[in-house]
Amino acid sequence: MLHPAISPNNVAVITGGASGIGLSAAMRFAGIGMKVCIADLGGDRLAAAEKKLASAARGGAADIMAVAVDVSRIEQVSELESTVRRRFGGADILMNNAGIQPGSTMFGPLENWQRILGVNLWGVIHGSQAFAPHMIERGRPGLIINTGSKQGITTPPGDPAYNVSKSGVKAFTEALQHELRNTADCRVSAHLFIPGHVFTALTARGRTEKPAGAWTPEQTVDFMIERVATGDFYILCPDNDVPRSLDERRILWAAGDVVENRPALSRWHPDYAEAFAAFVKGT
């Protein structure tokens, strides 16, 4: 069973759609018979993705759009929304998926922080603000799927700008869903998509073969579609290394830092190593 928004002739808009999870979602939607618009940067990648999607779409190239968009720029995202309406009549699914992870340090260059937050967090805000009002006005079943990260929940040390951006996506998407469910006659829902270890260009780091512990983008998209159909808000994806039960213990421990007044990021504090290991085992 599929969510009603995932239906032939409906329209899906996916940022970061030229590769990885975004392209896999676009391929899946196109194969179902949806009209698909992908937005990304990189002319050659975008053109290659458009050609691949056209070959999968039931209506061929007529059902596919590929638009160069910097999601950190609200004027470009607003123009994307207008272009989709002119071409396809509007969006039924918005997948705010564009993201970067170039690495960051606490006192690293400010420009790195600004770019990561601009794409990962402001991209989600811009997409939602540009598309959601008309999606609501259409009165049709709709989905806004925002790609978060487990790092935005457990905030491990090592990449603070990325963690901050994805923590912001979590908080924003929770607030967005609250707003949508309290809007009269609204048939649009928001969902926080939380992939596990997925082998994509973003995570490959020079590797050409998928690690055994990672899921493919296709597996991750299949899981997302399945959980959206059941109404899950938090789409917490496992992978081949980390089952949901382990994710749950890690998330509970992170929340416990506040409740128990432990040191920040106590999971990585040597004084709490044994306590964390015992907690994970449920002892």
Side-chain angles (χ1 to χ4, degrees):
M1 182 180 295
L2 297 174
H3 187 280
I6 305 175
S7 299
N9 298 314
N10 278 6
V11 179
V13 178
I14 304 168
T15 68
S19 63
I21 290 173
L23 180 56
S24 293
M27 288 291 290
R28 188 66 197 278
F29 294 147
I32 290 168
M34 298 185 69
K35 297 175 174 63
V36 176
C37 173
I38 57 170
D40 212 321
L41 293 176
D44 291 343
R45 289 191 318 124
L46 202 56
E50 182 178 21
K51 184 176 180 180
K52 186 175 181 179
L53 285 166
S55 69
R58 295 183 186 177
D63 284 353
I64 302 300
M65 290 174 58
V67 185
V69 175
D70 180 348
V71 297
S72 72
R73 304 285 297 274
I74 183 59
E75 66 275 12
Q76 293 190 25
V77 180
S78 296
E79 178 58 28
L80 173 67
E81 194 277 335
S82 298
T83 301
V84 170
R85 270 197 286 160
R86 287 193 298 268
R87 173 82 175 268
F88 292 144
D92 299 285
I93 298 174
L94 170 66
M95 192 170 173
N96 288 309
N97 173 72
I100 58 173
Q101 192 175 11
S104 66
T105 60
M106 184 58 66
F107 305 112
L110 181 61
E111 294 79 8
N112 288 3
W113 279 76
Q114 291 171 329
R115 184 59 184 160
I116 292 166
L117 291 171
V119 173
N120 295 1
L121 177 55
W122 277 106
V124 171
I125 296 171
H126 291 158
S128 300
Q129 290 196 335
F131 279 85
H134 191 251
M135 291 175 71
I136 296 168
E137 288 170 8
R138 297 180 85 197
R140 296 156 56 124
L143 294 168
I144 298 175
I145 302 170
N146 295 334
T147 301
S149 170
K150 294 173 187 179
Q151 288 183 226
I153 302 172
T154 59
T155 61
D159 198 350
Y162 185 81
N163 292 354
V164 168
S165 71
K166 292 300 186 177
S167 294
V169 170
K170 173 182 177 291
F172 176 81
T173 310
E174 288 168 338
L176 175 61
Q177 173 57 9
H178 176 78
E179 183 83 9
L180 293 173
R181 72 178 178 229
N182 286 285
T183 298
D185 302 319
C186 177
R187 302 179 68 191
V188 180
S189 59
H191 303 263
L192 182 66
F193 179 37
I194 313 165
H197 181 195
V198 187
F199 186 62
T200 68
L202 187 70
T203 63
R205 294 189 170 92
R207 294 172 294 189
T208 57
E209 292 188 9
K210 182 185 80 67
W215 268 13
T216 65
E218 291 78 14
Q219 285 176 292
T220 308
V221 169
D222 285 346
F223 186 87
M224 176 193 78
I225 290 173
E226 172 191 326
R227 300 320 302 172
V228 162
T230 66
D232 288 6
F233 172 79
Y234 299 101
I235 304 173
L236 182 64
C237 301
D239 52 47
N240 293 335
D241 275 341
V242 182
R244 183 182 176 93
S245 58
L246 179 54
D247 276 328
E248 289 174 351
R249 300 302 281 178
R250 289 172 173 175
I251 291 167
L252 286 170
W253 181 272
D257 279 354
V258 180
V259 176
E260 302 293 334
N261 197 26
R262 295 191 293 250
L265 302 181
S266 69
R267 176 178 154 192
W268 295 274
H269 193 297
D271 292 350
Y272 289 83
E274 290 184 12
F276 173 70
F279 181 80
V280 166
K281 293 178 181 177
T283 61

